[in-house]
Amino acid sequence: MKPTDFSKLLTEYLTSYLPSLKNVSKNTISSYCDTFRLLLKYCRDVHNLSIEKISMKDIDADLVSQFILWLEKERHCSISTRNQRLMAIRSFFRYVQGEQPQNLLNCQKILNIPPKKRSQPVVTYLTVEEMKLLLAQPNISTPEGRRDLALLCILYDTGGRVQEIADLTVRNIRLENPAKVHLTGKGRKSREVPLLPKTVQLLERYMIEHRLLAPDKLDHPLFCNRHNSKLTRSGISYILNKYAELASSQSLTFPDLISPHVLRHTKAMHLLQAGVNIIYIRDILGHASVDTT
């Protein structure tokens, strides 16, 4: 069967353009793959289009608009998820513009499909006292408790995204003055974030205990589970919520469940409340624009 123009462009976009030319992370590419998997399923099940025969002329602005509505109404996707799917499709058609100038008008119609507006959620964060209560929960008489305290401290102190913390290796940590951590975030953009002395002290003790300061450990994950594999995003979330439940039992105002992103919000809010310039906060969080901050 002769390959279609859509199959060629989509394959090139996902396997070469995004990872090689745009240097997009594996997580983002996986999310884009999910979007097009759903789009193909929609074309097959709703429009009776044979997947192997779908061409660029079949994917127009009307179909994309109907697909986005289908995600919301039939699959009950949130507005945020719906908009993320649309952004993935728009990114693909932005790429198609340069590859198929004859389809420029169709591409521009798809690029003009607006995201759905949603009310801005209230930013959840912990007060200074609540953060102190959370950090008081790990049992530091055990190796696991000492690891967890170091993890919570670096999660808060850096304001890092959970994947950035999960991906940390020993070489990303500088304990000597000025102490700092090297984080790699969205779009594989890197930044260096300073560490507070208390965090450095806890981290150094943890690394000595686990023999992570040896020269041959530079590429070893900073935080591992009991199987000596690096902690995953879900693993970090599980640890955080274990201590959140303990803190919640001691305080009526402490939330029962929190996410690692709440600690990111917490760090930003504490800096803001301390009078730190928002430009500096933007750089710590790794935002491309101060508007996001």
Side-chain angles (χ1 to χ4, degrees):
M1 182 176 292
K2 185 179 179 180
T4 65
D5 54 354
F6 176 71
S7 68
K8 290 179 181 178
L9 286 166
L10 185 59
T11 300
E12 177 70 16
Y13 173 74
L14 293 173
T15 63
S16 180
Y17 177 75
L18 287 181
S20 300
L21 295 179
K22 298 297 288 183
N23 200 28
V24 172
S25 70
K26 290 181 180 179
N27 287 337
T28 300
I29 294 174
S30 176
S31 175
Y32 281 23
C33 285
D34 285 343
T35 294
F36 286 99
R37 176 180 57 79
L38 289 169
L39 178 61
L40 292 173
K41 175 180 172 64
Y42 170 78
C43 290
R44 182 194 65 198
D45 297 347
V46 178
H47 290 274
N48 296 316
L49 293 173
S50 176
I51 289 178
E52 60 268 21
K53 294 182 180 179
I54 294 175
S55 65
M56 291 303 300
K57 65 180 177 58
D58 295 315
I59 314 294
D60 57 17
D62 286 340
L63 185 140
V64 172
S65 295
Q66 293 169 27
F67 167 65
I68 298 302
L69 187 62
W70 175 78
L71 289 175
E72 186 177 352
K73 301 298 183 183
E74 299 299 325
R75 293 184 62 87
H76 307 292
C77 291
S78 66
I79 293 176
S80 177
T81 299
R82 171 196 188 279
N83 288 343
Q84 286 174 0
R85 301 300 187 198
L86 176 60
M87 291 303 106
I89 293 172
R90 283 171 53 169
S91 176
F92 170 65
F93 279 92
R94 196 170 288 113
Y95 161 76
V96 172
Q97 284 185 121
E99 300 297 317
Q100 285 194 343
Q102 69 272 24
N103 283 325
L104 193 58
L105 180 59
N106 184 47
C107 291
Q108 290 180 351
K109 287 181 178 179
I110 291 173
L111 291 173
N112 283 331
I113 298 174
K116 188 172 183 177
K117 292 184 178 180
R118 61 191 179 96
S119 58
Q120 291 295 324
V122 175
V123 175
T124 304
Y125 69 98
L126 304 179
T127 65
V128 172
E129 292 306 316
E130 288 171 340
M131 193 64 214
K132 287 180 179 178
L133 180 61
L134 178 67
L135 295 179
Q137 300 311 308
N139 180 4
I140 58 174
S141 66
T142 67
E144 185 177 75
R146 290 190 289 273
R147 177 206 65 184
D148 293 350
L149 180 57
L151 171 64
L152 294 179
C153 282
I154 202 168
L155 197 61
Y156 164 75
D157 200 6
T158 63
R161 301 176 180 92
V162 63
Q163 191 62 54
E164 294 172 344
I165 302 303
D167 290 340
L168 282 177
T169 62
V170 173
R171 76 166 61 248
N172 298 138
I173 303 297
R174 175 189 168 94
L175 296 174
E176 299 81 11
N177 193 35
K180 56 188 176 181
V181 59
H182 185 92
L183 297 175
T184 302
K186 291 183 176 180
R188 299 182 185 177
K189 295 178 181 177
S190 297
R191 67 187 186 281
E192 291 184 337
V193 179
L195 294 174
L196 292 171
K198 184 65 175 178
T199 303
V200 175
Q201 186 181 39
L202 290 169
L203 203 52
E204 185 173 21
R205 289 176 182 173
Y206 162 77
M207 293 175 74
I208 291 173
E209 180 179 3
H210 292 270
R211 301 175 183 176
L212 294 177
L213 297 180
D216 61 337
K217 296 287 188 178
L218 285 176
D219 293 313
H220 193 278
L222 182 62
F223 295 108
C224 292
N225 57 27
R226 64 186 61 184
H227 303 296
N228 208 33
S229 300
K230 83 169 187 177
L231 283 175
T232 61
R233 295 171 58 165
S234 58
I236 293 174
S237 296
Y238 172 80
I239 291 170
L240 174 60
N241 276 303
K242 177 175 67 174
Y243 295 115
E245 288 180 11
L246 290 173
S248 179
S249 67
Q250 301 170 36
S251 170
L252 295 176
T253 61
F254 199 97
D256 293 329
L257 293 174
I258 58 175
S259 69
H261 218 71
V262 169
L263 295 197
R264 181 170 162 85
H265 290 165
T266 299
K267 177 66 174 184
M269 289 298 293
H270 290 177
L271 289 172
L272 190 65
Q273 291 165 350
V276 175
N277 190 295
I278 198 167
I279 300 298
Y280 183 63
I281 299 174
R282 177 203 63 184
D283 293 341
I284 287 179
L285 297 180
H287 287 155
S289 167
V290 73
D291 291 338
T292 306
T293 313

